């Protein structure tokens, strides 16, 4: 756990610098804008309408885009001018961004690798921000947290570390159903959860 926290703290420092630099120059962008803020190394974007593209700084992304970051590279995304996502080396994910400023929905479908998420402003009651992994979903309300997915044999493992604020987690079962809201776990600052599963089980522990 300590290793994940140290990694997360370093990543948050990178995101904070990105927020300071980016916030000074872009105040007029559209609300649902998703943009590649920086690329260290190489990464690709796969878009259904055009295929595979090389990612680059200031590249505008669309809902449904898949991103893959090479093993020695990293990418920082900015969403709506107040949400920052650091994609660590070897990360693959798909973005989902819908709605307006009044009812925004953001979902990061993390397939492998790790992301650090920083939400600068608290979401309103009609908006949501989630990270899903193969066997769990995490919902937040203005926080900083890291999610990592690794595979071992036929099992997937997700490690969630909360660095600020609070994250709610619910299991996604092999048949695709999501754990009842009454079973939701509240993960406070400084804590984490481990989730693993395969085609037969989804289990987690704080």
């Amino acid at each position: 756990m300590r290793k994940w926290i140290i990694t997360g703290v370093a990543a948050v420092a990178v995101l904070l610098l990105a927020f300071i630099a980016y916030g000074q120059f872009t105040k007029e962008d559209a609300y649902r804008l998703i943009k590649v803020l920086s690329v260290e190394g190489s990464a690709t974007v796969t878009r259904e309408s055009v295929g595979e593209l090389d990612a680059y700084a200031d590249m505008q992304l669309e809902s449904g885009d898949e991103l893959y970051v090479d093993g020695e590279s990293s990418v920082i995304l900015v969403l709506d001018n107040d949400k920052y996502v650091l994609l660590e080396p070897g990360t693959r994910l798909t973005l989902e961004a819908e709605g307006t400023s009044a009812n925004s929905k953001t979902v990061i479908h993390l397939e492998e690798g790790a992301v650090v998420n920083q939400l600068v402003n608290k979401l309103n009651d009609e908006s949501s921000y989630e990270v899903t992994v193969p066997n769990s979903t995490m919902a937040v309300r203005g926080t900083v947290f890291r999610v990592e997915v690794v595979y071992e044999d036929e099992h997937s493992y997700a490690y969630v570390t909360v660095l600020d604020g609070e994250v709610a987690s619910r299991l996604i079962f092999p048949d695709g159903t999501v754990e009842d809201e009454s079973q939701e776990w509240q993960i406070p600052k400084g804590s984490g959860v481990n989730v693993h599963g395969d085609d037969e089980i989804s289990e987690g522990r704080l």
Side-chain angles (χ1 to χ4, degrees):
M1 175 66 72
R2 182 173 177 82
K3 177 181 177 182
W4 304 334
I5 292 176
I6 292 173
T7 301
V9 170
V12 169
V14 173
L15 289 179
L16 180 60
L17 291 174
F19 165 64
I20 294 171
Y22 185 74
Q24 291 177 346
F25 299 106
T26 56
K27 299 293 186 181
E28 305 299 331
D29 285 339
Y31 181 78
R32 288 272 73 187
L33 182 68
I34 313 171
K35 182 181 289 188
V36 176
L37 185 57
S38 67
V39 178
E40 295 291 336
S42 60
T44 57
V45 175
T46 302
R47 185 170 299 163
E48 184 176 357
S49 60
V50 296
E52 190 173 286
L53 305 166
D54 290 332
Y56 56 89
D58 292 328
M59 180 182 189
Q60 294 191 20
L61 302 177
E62 299 177 1
S63 181
D65 283 352
E66 178 185 292
L67 284 84
Y68 175 71
V69 181
D70 287 348
E72 301 297 324
S73 305
S74 64
V75 170
I76 297 178
L77 307 181
V78 58
L79 296 79
D80 312 327
N81 296 332
D82 66 353
K83 304 173 184 70
Y84 295 83
V85 186
L86 170 64
L87 285 65
E88 297 183 16
T91 293
R92 186 185 304 275
L93 60 78
T94 301
L95 292 168
E96 179 184 338
E98 301 175 352
T100 67
S101 58
N103 60 353
S104 66
K105 178 183 179 181
T106 304
V107 184
I108 295 175
H109 301 281
L110 180 62
E111 300 172 33
E112 59 181 316
V115 293
V116 178
N117 307 265
Q118 181 176 16
L119 280 67
V120 176
N121 298 316
K122 184 177 180 180
L123 298 172
N124 63 46
D125 291 339
E126 302 301 321
S127 298
S128 64
Y129 185 100
E130 297 180 351
V131 176
T132 69
V133 296
N135 43 34
S136 185
T137 180
M138 278 65 68
V140 305
R141 287 286 177 184
T143 190
V144 183
F145 66 109
R146 180 178 185 268
V147 183
E148 180 181 11
V149 175
V150 297
Y151 294 87
E152 183 177 321
D153 299 324
E154 296 181 358
H155 286 257
S156 64
Y157 295 83
Y159 306 103
V160 184
T161 305
V162 180
L163 300 167
D164 190 35
E166 189 172 69
V167 170
S169 177
R170 286 190 282 169
L171 293 176
I172 300 175
F173 298 111
D175 64 1
T177 59
V178 181
E179 190 172 42
D180 185 84
E181 189 171 349
S182 65
Q183 302 298 314
E184 189 172 81
W185 302 342
Q186 300 298 323
I187 311 169
K189 176 181 177 180
S191 299
V193 64
N194 302 340
V195 183
H196 78 280
D198 55 20
D199 292 338
E200 297 182 354
I201 63 169
S202 290
E203 297 179 332
R205 63 181 176 85
L206 290 170

